[in-house]
mmCIF file of all heavy atoms in Angstrom:
data_model
loop_
_atom_site.group_PDB
_atom_site.id
_atom_site.type_symbol
_atom_site.label_atom_id
_atom_site.label_comp_id
_atom_site.label_asym_id
_atom_site.label_seq_id
_atom_site.Cartn_x
_atom_site.Cartn_y
_atom_site.Cartn_z
ATOM 1 N N HIS A 1 72.864 132.580 72.085
ATOM 2 C CA HIS A 1 73.116 132.449 70.649
ATOM 3 C C HIS A 1 73.721 133.743 70.133
ATOM 4 O O HIS A 1 73.073 134.795 70.203
ATOM 5 C CB HIS A 1 71.818 132.140 69.895
ATOM 6 C CG HIS A 1 71.333 130.743 70.068
ATOM 7 N ND1 HIS A 1 71.005 130.217 71.303
ATOM 8 C CD2 HIS A 1 71.129 129.746 69.168
ATOM 9 C CE1 HIS A 1 70.623 128.958 71.145
ATOM 10 N NE2 HIS A 1 70.690 128.653 69.870
ATOM 11 N N PRO A 2 74.937 133.699 69.618
ATOM 12 C CA PRO A 2 75.554 134.914 69.083
ATOM 13 C C PRO A 2 74.742 135.495 67.928
ATOM 14 O O PRO A 2 74.027 134.772 67.222
ATOM 15 C CB PRO A 2 76.930 134.427 68.596
ATOM 16 C CG PRO A 2 77.182 133.154 69.339
ATOM 17 C CD PRO A 2 75.833 132.533 69.532
ATOM 18 N N VAL A 3 74.885 136.785 67.731
ATOM 19 C CA VAL A 3 74.183 137.459 66.640
ATOM 20 C C VAL A 3 74.519 136.814 65.299
ATOM 21 O O VAL A 3 73.647 136.608 64.449
ATOM 22 C CB VAL A 3 74.516 138.967 66.628
ATOM 23 C CG1 VAL A 3 74.017 139.626 65.337
ATOM 24 C CG2 VAL A 3 73.907 139.659 67.840
ATOM 25 N N GLN A 4 75.791 136.466 65.102
ATOM 26 C CA GLN A 4 76.200 135.886 63.826
ATOM 27 C C GLN A 4 75.505 134.550 63.566
ATOM 28 O O GLN A 4 75.096 134.253 62.436
ATOM 29 C CB GLN A 4 77.718 135.701 63.777
ATOM 30 C CG GLN A 4 78.248 135.128 62.471
ATOM 31 C CD GLN A 4 77.873 135.977 61.259
ATOM 32 O OE1 GLN A 4 77.811 137.202 61.358
ATOM 33 N NE2 GLN A 4 77.613 135.332 60.129
ATOM 34 N N THR A 5 75.357 133.727 64.610
ATOM 35 C CA THR A 5 74.652 132.452 64.449
ATOM 36 C C THR A 5 73.204 132.684 64.047
ATOM 37 O O THR A 5 72.662 131.985 63.182
ATOM 38 C CB THR A 5 74.695 131.650 65.756
ATOM 39 O OG1 THR A 5 76.047 131.369 66.093
ATOM 40 C CG2 THR A 5 73.930 130.338 65.616
ATOM 41 N N LEU A 6 72.569 133.675 64.652
ATOM 42 C CA LEU A 6 71.182 133.980 64.305
ATOM 43 C C LEU A 6 71.081 134.487 62.876
ATOM 44 O O LEU A 6 70.119 134.167 62.161
ATOM 45 C CB LEU A 6 70.615 134.998 65.292
ATOM 46 C CG LEU A 6 70.454 134.476 66.726
ATOM 47 C CD1 LEU A 6 70.024 135.594 67.668
ATOM 48 C CD2 LEU A 6 69.446 133.328 66.780
ATOM 49 N N LYS A 7 72.072 135.251 62.429
ATOM 50 C CA LYS A 7 72.070 135.709 61.044
ATOM 51 C C LYS A 7 72.218 134.528 60.084
ATOM 52 O O LYS A 7 71.548 134.471 59.040
ATOM 53 C CB LYS A 7 73.180 136.732 60.812
ATOM 54 C CG LYS A 7 72.892 138.103 61.414
ATOM 55 C CD LYS A 7 73.982 139.099 61.079
ATOM 56 C CE LYS A 7 73.632 140.487 61.601
ATOM 57 N NZ LYS A 7 74.688 141.487 61.263
ATOM 58 N N GLU A 8 73.080 133.590 60.413
ATOM 59 C CA GLU A 8 73.240 132.399 59.573
ATOM 60 C C GLU A 8 71.932 131.610 59.511
ATOM 61 O O GLU A 8 71.543 131.101 58.443
ATOM 62 C CB GLU A 8 74.358 131.524 60.123
ATOM 63 C CG GLU A 8 75.750 132.131 59.972
ATOM 64 C CD GLU A 8 76.817 131.337 60.707
ATOM 65 O OE1 GLU A 8 76.462 130.345 61.383
ATOM 66 O OE2 GLU A 8 77.998 131.715 60.609
ATOM 67 N N THR A 9 71.250 131.517 60.645
ATOM 68 C CA THR A 9 69.969 130.814 60.686
ATOM 69 C C THR A 9 68.944 131.510 59.809
ATOM 70 O O THR A 9 68.195 130.862 59.057
ATOM 71 C CB THR A 9 69.461 130.743 62.139
ATOM 72 O OG1 THR A 9 70.444 130.118 62.969
ATOM 73 C CG2 THR A 9 68.169 129.944 62.219
ATOM 74 N N ILE A 10 68.894 132.830 59.876
ATOM 75 C CA ILE A 10 67.963 133.602 59.040
ATOM 76 C C ILE A 10 68.264 133.381 57.567
ATOM 77 O O ILE A 10 67.352 133.205 56.745
ATOM 78 C CB ILE A 10 68.044 135.092 59.405
ATOM 79 C CG1 ILE A 10 67.461 135.331 60.808
ATOM 80 C CG2 ILE A 10 67.318 135.949 58.375
ATOM 81 C CD1 ILE A 10 67.778 136.695 61.387
ATOM 82 N N GLU A 11 69.534 133.362 57.206
ATOM 83 C CA GLU A 11 69.900 133.132 55.797
ATOM 84 C C GLU A 11 69.486 131.742 55.334
ATOM 85 O O GLU A 11 69.054 131.569 54.188
ATOM 86 C CB GLU A 11 71.405 133.325 55.614
ATOM 87 C CG GLU A 11 71.828 134.782 55.561
ATOM 88 C CD GLU A 11 73.198 134.967 54.950
ATOM 89 O OE1 GLU A 11 74.145 134.331 55.441
ATOM 90 O OE2 GLU A 11 73.307 135.741 53.987
ATOM 91 N N LEU A 12 69.611 130.762 56.222
ATOM 92 C CA LEU A 12 69.159 129.408 55.873
ATOM 93 C C LEU A 12 67.661 129.409 55.601
ATOM 94 O O LEU A 12 67.191 128.797 54.629
ATOM 95 C CB LEU A 12 69.496 128.444 57.011
ATOM 96 C CG LEU A 12 69.058 126.989 56.811
ATOM 97 C CD1 LEU A 12 69.892 126.330 55.723
ATOM 98 C CD2 LEU A 12 69.174 126.214 58.114
ATOM 99 N N MET A 13 66.905 130.100 56.442
ATOM 100 C CA MET A 13 65.457 130.163 56.247
ATOM 101 C C MET A 13 65.123 130.852 54.921
ATOM 102 O O MET A 13 64.231 130.414 54.184
ATOM 103 C CB MET A 13 64.786 130.935 57.393
ATOM 104 C CG MET A 13 65.020 130.365 58.772
ATOM 105 S SD MET A 13 64.571 128.632 58.920
ATOM 106 C CE MET A 13 66.127 127.963 59.526
ATOM 107 N N TRP A 14 65.815 131.938 54.638
ATOM 108 C CA TRP A 14 65.572 132.659 53.381
ATOM 109 C C TRP A 14 65.843 131.775 52.168
ATOM 110 O O TRP A 14 65.053 131.754 51.215
ATOM 111 C CB TRP A 14 66.467 133.905 53.351
ATOM 112 C CG TRP A 14 66.543 134.552 52.000
ATOM 113 C CD1 TRP A 14 65.518 135.081 51.277
ATOM 114 C CD2 TRP A 14 67.721 134.727 51.213
ATOM 115 N NE1 TRP A 14 65.981 135.593 50.077
ATOM 116 C CE2 TRP A 14 67.333 135.379 50.019
ATOM 117 C CE3 TRP A 14 69.071 134.412 51.409
ATOM 118 C CZ2 TRP A 14 68.251 135.713 49.020
ATOM 119 C CZ3 TRP A 14 69.976 134.744 50.417
ATOM 120 C CH2 TRP A 14 69.563 135.389 49.238
ATOM 121 N N LEU A 15 66.936 131.037 52.195
ATOM 122 C CA LEU A 15 67.302 130.204 51.056
ATOM 123 C C LEU A 15 66.205 129.197 50.730
ATOM 124 O O LEU A 15 65.960 128.882 49.563
ATOM 125 C CB LEU A 15 68.619 129.469 51.347
ATOM 126 C CG LEU A 15 69.189 128.628 50.217
ATOM 127 C CD1 LEU A 15 69.573 129.493 49.030
ATOM 128 C CD2 LEU A 15 70.401 127.841 50.706
ATOM 129 N N TYR A 16 65.508 128.708 51.780
ATOM 130 C CA TYR A 16 64.479 127.688 51.569
ATOM 131 C C TYR A 16 63.060 128.232 51.756
ATOM 132 O O TYR A 16 62.124 127.467 51.941
ATOM 133 C CB TYR A 16 64.726 126.500 52.502
ATOM 134 C CG TYR A 16 66.017 125.799 52.177
ATOM 135 C CD1 TYR A 16 67.081 125.814 53.072
ATOM 136 C CD2 TYR A 16 66.181 125.149 50.961
ATOM 137 C CE1 TYR A 16 68.281 125.194 52.759
ATOM 138 C CE2 TYR A 16 67.366 124.521 50.646
ATOM 139 C CZ TYR A 16 68.420 124.541 51.548
ATOM 140 O OH TYR A 16 69.594 123.924 51.236
ATOM 141 N N LYS A 17 62.924 129.573 51.745
ATOM 142 C CA LYS A 17 61.606 130.214 51.734
ATOM 143 C C LYS A 17 60.789 129.922 52.991
ATOM 144 O O LYS A 17 59.546 129.786 52.938
ATOM 145 C CB LYS A 17 60.833 129.836 50.472
ATOM 146 C CG LYS A 17 61.576 130.223 49.190
ATOM 147 C CD LYS A 17 60.853 129.758 47.953
ATOM 148 C CE LYS A 17 61.603 130.161 46.688
ATOM 149 N NZ LYS A 17 62.962 129.604 46.592
ATOM 150 N N ILE A 18 61.444 129.844 54.125
ATOM 151 C CA ILE A 18 60.762 129.787 55.412
ATOM 152 C C ILE A 18 60.542 131.228 55.849
ATOM 153 O O ILE A 18 61.501 131.962 56.084
ATOM 154 C CB ILE A 18 61.612 129.032 56.455
ATOM 155 C CG1 ILE A 18 61.919 127.612 55.963
ATOM 156 C CG2 ILE A 18 60.920 129.012 57.805
ATOM 157 C CD1 ILE A 18 60.714 126.756 55.707
ATOM 158 N N ASN A 19 59.287 131.651 55.944
ATOM 159 C CA ASN A 19 59.035 133.079 56.103
ATOM 160 C C ASN A 19 59.003 133.588 57.534
ATOM 161 O O ASN A 19 58.970 134.803 57.749
ATOM 162 C CB ASN A 19 57.740 133.489 55.373
ATOM 163 C CG ASN A 19 56.526 132.680 55.781
ATOM 164 O OD1 ASN A 19 56.639 131.641 56.397
ATOM 165 N ND2 ASN A 19 55.351 133.164 55.432
ATOM 166 N N TYR A 20 59.035 132.677 58.527
ATOM 167 C CA TYR A 20 59.047 133.129 59.916
ATOM 168 C C TYR A 20 60.123 132.407 60.721
ATOM 169 O O TYR A 20 60.366 131.211 60.523
ATOM 170 C CB TYR A 20 57.694 132.884 60.589
ATOM 171 C CG TYR A 20 56.568 133.709 60.018
ATOM 172 C CD1 TYR A 20 55.553 133.108 59.262
ATOM 173 C CD2 TYR A 20 56.512 135.080 60.216
ATOM 174 C CE1 TYR A 20 54.516 133.861 58.733
ATOM 175 C CE2 TYR A 20 55.475 135.851 59.685
ATOM 176 C CZ TYR A 20 54.489 135.232 58.945
ATOM 177 O OH TYR A 20 53.467 135.979 58.412
ATOM 178 N N VAL A 21 60.758 133.143 61.625
ATOM 179 C CA VAL A 21 61.617 132.566 62.653
ATOM 180 C C VAL A 21 61.040 132.988 64.002
ATOM 181 O O VAL A 21 60.968 134.176 64.317
ATOM 182 C CB VAL A 21 63.076 133.042 62.538
ATOM 183 C CG1 VAL A 21 63.898 132.537 63.725
ATOM 184 C CG2 VAL A 21 63.696 132.557 61.230
ATOM 185 N N HIS A 22 60.579 132.016 64.751
ATOM 186 C CA HIS A 22 59.960 132.226 66.060
ATOM 187 C C HIS A 22 61.064 132.164 67.110
ATOM 188 O O HIS A 22 61.806 131.187 67.202
ATOM 189 C CB HIS A 22 58.906 131.133 66.252
ATOM 190 C CG HIS A 22 58.361 130.996 67.630
ATOM 191 N ND1 HIS A 22 57.462 130.007 67.962
ATOM 192 C CD2 HIS A 22 58.554 131.694 68.776
ATOM 193 C CE1 HIS A 22 57.140 130.102 69.235
ATOM 194 N NE2 HIS A 22 57.796 131.121 69.756
ATOM 195 N N LEU A 23 61.187 133.229 67.915
ATOM 196 C CA LEU A 23 62.245 133.332 68.918
ATOM 197 C C LEU A 23 61.666 133.155 70.314
ATOM 198 O O LEU A 23 60.874 133.977 70.791
ATOM 199 C CB LEU A 23 62.935 134.695 68.814
ATOM 200 C CG LEU A 23 63.624 134.996 67.482
ATOM 201 C CD1 LEU A 23 63.988 136.472 67.395
ATOM 202 C CD2 LEU A 23 64.863 134.122 67.306
ATOM 203 N N HIS A 24 62.044 132.062 70.964
ATOM 204 C CA HIS A 24 61.650 131.817 72.356
ATOM 205 C C HIS A 24 62.597 132.625 73.244
ATOM 206 O O HIS A 24 63.724 132.217 73.528
ATOM 207 C CB HIS A 24 61.755 130.319 72.651
ATOM 208 C CG HIS A 24 61.306 129.918 74.019
ATOM 209 N ND1 HIS A 24 59.978 129.897 74.387
ATOM 210 C CD2 HIS A 24 62.014 129.525 75.115
ATOM 211 C CE1 HIS A 24 59.884 129.489 75.646
ATOM 212 N NE2 HIS A 24 61.098 129.263 76.107
ATOM 213 N N LEU A 25 62.131 133.809 73.673
ATOM 214 C CA LEU A 25 63.012 134.806 74.289
ATOM 215 C C LEU A 25 63.154 134.687 75.793
ATOM 216 O O LEU A 25 64.099 135.252 76.372
ATOM 217 C CB LEU A 25 62.497 136.214 73.961
ATOM 218 C CG LEU A 25 62.544 136.638 72.491
ATOM 219 C CD1 LEU A 25 61.773 137.942 72.301
ATOM 220 C CD2 LEU A 25 63.994 136.811 72.033
ATOM 221 N N SER A 26 62.239 134.020 76.470
ATOM 222 C CA SER A 26 62.303 133.962 77.935
ATOM 223 C C SER A 26 61.940 132.577 78.430
ATOM 224 O O SER A 26 61.104 131.888 77.847
ATOM 225 C CB SER A 26 61.354 135.001 78.549
ATOM 226 O OG SER A 26 60.000 134.700 78.256
ATOM 227 N N ASP A 27 62.590 132.183 79.538
ATOM 228 C CA ASP A 27 62.288 130.914 80.168
ATOM 229 C C ASP A 27 62.716 130.991 81.626
ATOM 230 O O ASP A 27 63.081 132.062 82.117
ATOM 231 C CB ASP A 27 62.963 129.754 79.433
ATOM 232 C CG ASP A 27 62.111 128.497 79.471
ATOM 233 O OD1 ASP A 27 62.095 127.829 80.527
ATOM 234 O OD2 ASP A 27 61.437 128.186 78.473
ATOM 235 N N ASN A 28 62.711 129.863 82.309
ATOM 236 C CA ASN A 28 62.915 129.869 83.751
ATOM 237 C C ASN A 28 64.252 130.441 84.202
ATOM 238 O O ASN A 28 64.343 131.039 85.270
ATOM 239 C CB ASN A 28 62.766 128.444 84.307
ATOM 240 C CG ASN A 28 61.314 128.025 84.420
ATOM 241 O OD1 ASN A 28 60.458 128.828 84.753
ATOM 242 N ND2 ASN A 28 61.041 126.772 84.114
#
């Protein structure tokens, strides 16, 4: 996920008052 996409996602959460973004950082 590019940094810009993650920033857009964070802005979406902010607009609708979602206070956490959980990042699944590792997998198989």
Side-chain angles (χ1 to χ4, degrees):
H1 286 60
V3 169
Q4 181 58 35
T5 299
L6 293 174
K7 286 184 176 181
E8 291 172 357
T9 304
I10 291 167
E11 282 198 305
L12 179 70
M13 301 306 125
W14 167 61
L15 184 64
Y16 295 114
K17 302 176 180 60
I18 302 300
N19 54 345
Y20 294 110
V21 174
H22 168 184
L23 299 167
H24 183 73
L25 294 170
S26 65
D27 214 283
N28 283 323

